[in-house]
């Protein structure tokens, strides 16, 4: 019931209400498996809950609990198939962590080579595309960064870091209006984020809008005086 209410709230564009319902659903599942750890239906449903939240480690844990109790049930084969998929996702997560470390250590070329391989095998997962775009952007490969970040954005339309990185790439290749649109979209999602406001100021300077840039930079200093 709580999950159904969360989906209804999401459909009505009420993210806070949806989040509250999801928290209630999580607590209800948690109580159910604590009261009776052998309640296989609860493990099965809790696993799918975690799957929808992209908490793949917890989804795997509860699917395994279900299989241990009901290895021959009608749902066992489908659960095994999901677990095989999760094994693939786990390998992607490990590779992404390796690529992230390489980027932060200024070894972006190493990260790009690794991420190109991941995105070819798993084009449906957003995180490798985001990391690939970030790595390209840091290398000054703005058109390649734009391409990767657009794919990440298509998979996760409301991820502000993706929008910000995409806007930087667009800015650097002279697509100022599109860059402004992406930064404005990100700022609507996180209006108090000084990084986004600062980049709007930089973009305004590039576009010759000095007074607009001043307003953005003053807004940044109000929120982050040490910047």
């Amino acid at each position: 019931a709580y999950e159904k209410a969360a989906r209804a709230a999401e459909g009505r564009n009420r993210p806070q209400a949806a989040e509250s319902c999801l928290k209630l659903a999580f607590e209800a599942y948690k109580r159910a498996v604590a009261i009776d750890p052998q309640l296989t239906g609860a493990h099965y449903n809790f696993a799918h809950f975690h799957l929808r939240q992209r908490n793949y480690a917890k989804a795997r844990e509860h699917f395994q609990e279900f299989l241990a109790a009901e290895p021959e049930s009608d749902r066992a084969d489908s659960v095994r198939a999901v677990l095989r998929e999760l094994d693939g996702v786990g390998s992607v997560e490990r590779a992404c962590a390796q690529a992230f470390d390489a980027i932060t250590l200024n070894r972006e070329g190493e990260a790009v080579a690794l991420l190109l391989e991941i995105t070819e095998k798993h084009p449906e997962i957003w995180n490798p595309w985001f990391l690939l775009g970030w790595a390209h952007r840091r290398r000054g490969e703005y058109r390649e960064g734009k391409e990767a970040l657009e794919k990440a954005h298509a998979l996760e339309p409301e991820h502000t870091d993706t929008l910000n990185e995409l806007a930087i790439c667009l800015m650097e290749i002279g697509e100022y209006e599109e860059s402004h649109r992406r930064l404005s979209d990100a700022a609507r999602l996180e209006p108090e984020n000084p990084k986004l406001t600062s980049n709007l100021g930089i973009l305004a300077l590039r576009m010759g809008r000095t007074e607009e840039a001043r307003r953005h930079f003053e807004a940044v200093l109000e929120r982050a005086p040490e910047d």
Side-chain angles (χ1 to χ4, degrees):
Y2 290 133
E3 287 191 83
K4 184 177 179 181
R7 288 193 291 273
E10 287 172 355
R12 294 194 295 271
N13 197 25
R14 297 175 57 195
Q16 290 182 333
E19 185 177 352
S20 295
C21 291
L22 288 173
K23 286 180 180 178
L24 290 170
F26 173 80
E27 292 300 329
Y29 281 128
K30 193 175 176 180
R31 286 195 300 272
V33 296
I35 291 169
D36 185 358
Q38 302 305 312
L39 193 61
T40 56
H43 282 294
Y44 181 83
N45 291 328
F46 204 7
H48 278 286
F49 172 85
H50 284 303
L51 200 58
R52 285 187 285 273
Q53 303 310 306
R54 301 189 180 186
N55 187 340
Y56 301 122
K58 281 294 183 182
R60 183 184 292 108
E61 177 184 321
H62 288 285
F63 277 134
Q64 288 171 339
E65 290 283 351
F66 171 82
L67 272 184
E70 295 192 23
E72 305 301 327
S73 76
D74 293 342
R75 295 181 289 189
D77 285 344
S78 65
V79 168
R80 290 189 184 96
V82 173
L83 284 170
R84 286 193 293 272
E85 290 290 326
L86 289 177
D87 287 341
V89 171
S91 67
V92 170
E93 289 178 339
R94 290 189 292 274
C96 283
Q98 182 181 343
F100 178 85
D101 289 343
I103 295 169
T104 56
L105 292 170
N106 300 316
R107 301 203 304 265
E108 290 88 353
E110 176 184 325
V112 167
L114 177 59
L115 291 162
L116 285 171
E117 183 178 343
I118 299 171
T119 53
E120 184 176 351
K121 291 180 180 176
H122 297 279
E124 76 285 357
I125 302 177
W126 82 272
N127 196 31
W129 287 114
F130 168 75
L131 290 171
L132 180 59
W134 182 34
H136 277 308
R137 195 271 295 170
R138 284 170 57 107
R139 283 164 61 91
E141 298 164 349
Y142 301 115
R143 292 190 184 279
E144 293 86 347
K146 172 192 170 185
E147 182 179 343
L149 290 161
E150 284 177 336
K151 290 176 180 176
H153 175 62
L155 294 166
E156 288 282 346
E158 296 191 349
H159 194 273
T160 53
D161 284 339
T162 301
L163 287 165
N164 182 59
E165 288 290 330
L166 176 55
I168 294 171
C169 289
L170 290 163
M171 189 191 314
E172 294 298 336
I173 61 177
E175 296 185 26
Y176 293 151
E177 293 299 336
E178 183 65 10
S179 178
H180 187 271
R181 187 169 76 86
R182 298 301 190 181
L183 280 173
S184 298
D185 288 344
R188 278 193 287 274
L189 294 168
E190 292 186 20
E192 301 301 315
N193 188 325
K195 174 174 63 177
L196 300 174
T197 308
S198 178
N199 283 340
L200 280 166
I202 293 168
L203 177 61
L205 277 180
R206 294 278 189 95
M207 300 173 77
R209 300 173 181 174
T210 308
E211 288 306 313
E212 180 183 335
R214 183 192 300 277
R215 289 195 299 273
H216 287 307
F217 292 137
E218 287 174 346
V220 171
L221 290 174
E222 285 180 12
R223 297 171 195 150
E226 75 287 353
D227 191 322

